[in-house]
Amino acid sequence: MTVPICVSRRSICETFDTCCLKFRTISDSHTQQGDEVLSECTSFEMKLRRKELYAIALATAGVALFSLHRLNYEGSHIVSSIIGTFGNSWLIAGKEKNFTLPPDYIIDPDHVSYPWIGDPTCQHFPVQFARNHTRPKWALTSFPGSGVTWTRQLIEGVTGIYTGSVYGRADKPIVLTGNHSSNTANLECECTILIKDHDIDQPIPVLPIGGFNGVKGNETTKKNDERGPVHSFFYGYRGVLLLRNPVDTMFTYAHFLATSGDKTGVVSENHFSGPNWEAYVDYVANTWADHAVGWIETIQNGTVLFYERLLLEDTAAELKRLLEVIRFSDPHRPPVDPQRLRCALRHKNRVDRKRLKKPVVPLTADQRKKFESSIERVQTSLREKGWPLLPVYLYREDL
């Protein structure tokens, strides 16, 4: 009598077939040993069959879950269509219906926000971080007071992806509704659409108001001349430069400083006079141009955006131009989701972080001349770069 036996009984082979093919024959005197090996191989075969049945069950469950996902995904678009058709009538027992999205649509449930809560046609659109290492770092740079907070909520709305900030949690949420989390991003995550960076390091003159700790005006010009290289290298020389009328920017920033960093705070125009005010005017006129020219000259991949065109002209065209430059395409409805764009435009005038009233004072002839010189510096730099020029025809005439 001969029986199959594994070469190594202490370590059962990977599969039952391998185990029972690798054998040697033994004589009838070793029948008991052969029976033990056959029992061992039979036990292994039963374990293997159980594993195969378990794998089949998992595969079946996976197919069922995938089918459910597709049904849920298509259903979310149907819900969107119903909302767009019936508007405010989409209510159940006096409450707005909770909207669901495909499982792969929400990447991090703890950091997703809904900026348009209360609008039945838009409230189902989320804003969240992109998957890590899918979005290269792009700067969104501007002189403080240029309207970057308002611009960020527009960009987030149309893309569905958070913008980041080099100032982290010290920067307040740009949208007050919906658990906004953009400023919590790790800047190395490569998971934001753009990153806010004012890139302004030199000290600011002390205004005779508020509690801002700056320096005296006679130190400011010296510091401007010592300005170091811009931060564009941190972003691989990719950047979007946001520009606004420098006079309007100056007053916006003055109210921000005078109210200790309140993005909606204002003070009386009676404070805008005296030697420190003159030093502050010089500071903004010089540094606004330094900042703009520095970025225009060093950006290798990017563009310029104008606050006035976004606010007063064709907002949609400006946003589409931006998204094309930064190579964004909506993953669900490329290149730009028309419904998201509609909602972003519909809510573009939200006032979460916007001053409804901003007291100003007329410039003196000398002050105006300084700003005209700064504007011309930037125009020359834009012209040499081949970028669009400042829309001075949209600038306020009362400043």
Side-chain angles (χ1 to χ4, degrees):
M1 177 180 180
T2 62
V3 295
I5 183 170
C6 283
V7 174
S8 174
R9 290 181 55 200
R10 293 179 61 85
S11 178
I12 298 177
C13 304
E14 289 84 357
T15 68
F16 176 77
D17 291 337
T18 304
C19 177
C20 292
L21 284 174
K22 293 180 180 180
F23 68 90
R24 61 182 176 85
T25 59
I26 59 176
S27 64
D28 291 341
S29 63
H30 297 92
T31 299
Q32 182 178 358
Q33 182 183 6
D35 289 344
E36 291 176 359
V37 175
L38 282 175
S39 175
E40 194 170 320
C41 286
T42 301
S43 175
F44 183 80
E45 180 184 26
M46 293 178 66
K47 291 179 181 179
L48 180 64
R49 296 295 180 255
R50 284 198 297 270
K51 288 181 179 179
E52 289 175 349
L53 290 174
Y54 181 65
I56 293 172
L58 282 178
T60 303
V63 171
L65 286 174
F66 178 77
S67 300
L68 181 60
H69 155 68
R70 294 307 305 172
L71 177 61
N72 190 27
Y73 179 76
E74 297 298 331
S76 69
H77 288 286
I78 295 172
V79 167
S80 299
S81 300
I82 294 174
I83 295 170
T85 302
F86 295 101
N88 292 333
S89 65
W90 184 241
L91 301 172
I92 296 181
K95 294 185 178 180
E96 294 166 358
K97 182 176 176 59
N98 292 324
F99 301 99
T100 58
L101 293 164
D104 65 345
Y105 198 93
I106 300 300
I107 296 170
D108 182 358
D110 294 332
H111 294 97
V112 63
S113 67
Y114 295 85
W116 301 311
I117 291 174
D119 182 344
T121 68
C122 300
Q123 63 184 0
H124 59 291
F125 284 117
V127 176
Q128 60 185 323
F129 294 117
R131 296 189 187 280
N132 286 346
H133 308 299
T134 60
R135 291 296 314 177
K137 290 186 292 188
W138 280 76
L140 175 59
T141 187
S142 64
F143 188 88
S146 297
V148 69
T149 298
W150 175 79
T151 303
R152 288 174 68 191
Q153 61 91 13
L154 270 180
I155 295 170
E156 289 185 358
V158 76
T159 62
I161 300 175
Y162 284 133
T163 55
S165 171
V166 296
Y167 311 102
R169 295 177 185 272
D171 234 352
K172 296 178 181 178
I174 65 174
V175 175
L176 297 181
T177 58
N179 188 36
H180 190 270
S181 306
S182 70
N183 296 330
T184 65
N186 180 334
L187 299 185
E188 298 301 322
C189 72
E190 296 183 338
C191 63
T192 58
I193 194 72
L194 295 169
I195 300 173
K196 169 188 171 181
D197 187 346
H198 287 311
D199 187 22
I200 300 293
D201 296 326
Q202 62 269 41
I204 302 166
V206 172
L207 296 177
I209 43 181
F212 187 81
N213 184 23
V215 297
K216 296 300 181 182
N218 59 2
E219 300 180 30
T220 305
T221 302
K222 178 183 177 181
K223 292 296 182 180
N224 283 342
D225 294 338
E226 296 174 354
R227 190 174 197 279
V230 295
H231 294 172
S232 56
F233 66 90
F234 178 73
Y235 305 94
Y237 301 97
R238 293 179 294 266
V240 175
L241 172 63
L242 175 65
L243 292 175
R244 182 182 188 178
N245 177 355
V247 180
D248 207 4
T249 296
M250 176 185 68
F251 283 109
T252 299
Y253 194 31
H255 286 288
F256 174 82
L257 294 175
T259 56
S260 301
D262 186 347
K263 291 180 180 292
T264 60
V266 297
V267 294
S268 169
E269 63 270 22
N270 296 330
H271 295 288
F272 302 148
S273 62
N276 280 359
W277 174 250
E278 288 294 331
Y280 174 75
V281 172
D282 288 347
Y283 164 80
V284 175
N286 292 327
T287 311
W288 175 85
D290 289 342
H291 172 270
V293 172
W295 277 88
I296 293 168
E297 291 178 348
T298 57
I299 288 176
Q300 297 176 9
N301 188 2
T303 190
V304 61
L305 278 182
F306 301 111
Y307 174 84
E308 288 81 9
R309 283 187 178 165
L310 282 170
L311 180 67
L312 303 173
E313 286 196 324
D314 194 340
T315 309
E318 282 291 279
L319 287 174
K320 289 178 180 178
R321 182 174 68 84
L322 165 68
L323 299 183
E324 183 177 356
V325 169
I326 64 176
R327 295 177 177 84
F328 170 83
S329 181
D330 188 279
H332 300 284
R333 303 184 71 178
V336 179
D337 187 331
Q339 293 305 313
R340 269 193 173 276
L341 179 59
R342 176 187 63 80
C343 290
L345 298 179
R346 180 171 179 173
H347 293 274
K348 81 172 190 176
N349 291 323
R350 63 186 303 156
V351 294
D352 304 53
R353 299 296 185 193
K354 199 171 184 180
R355 291 173 181 83
L356 298 179
K357 182 181 179 182
K358 182 173 63 180
V360 300
V361 295
L363 297 183
T364 65
D366 185 56
Q367 291 170 342
R368 186 171 296 280
K369 186 176 180 180
K370 292 176 181 178
F371 278 105
E372 288 173 352
S373 176
S374 293
I375 288 172
E376 186 53 39
R377 279 185 61 199
V378 175
Q379 291 286 52
T380 300
S381 185
L382 289 169
R383 193 177 293 111
E384 291 174 351
K385 187 80 168 185
W387 282 0
L389 300 181
L390 293 165
V392 293
Y393 59 91
L394 293 174
Y395 289 179
R396 293 175 55 180
E397 297 180 357
D398 61 331
L399 296 178

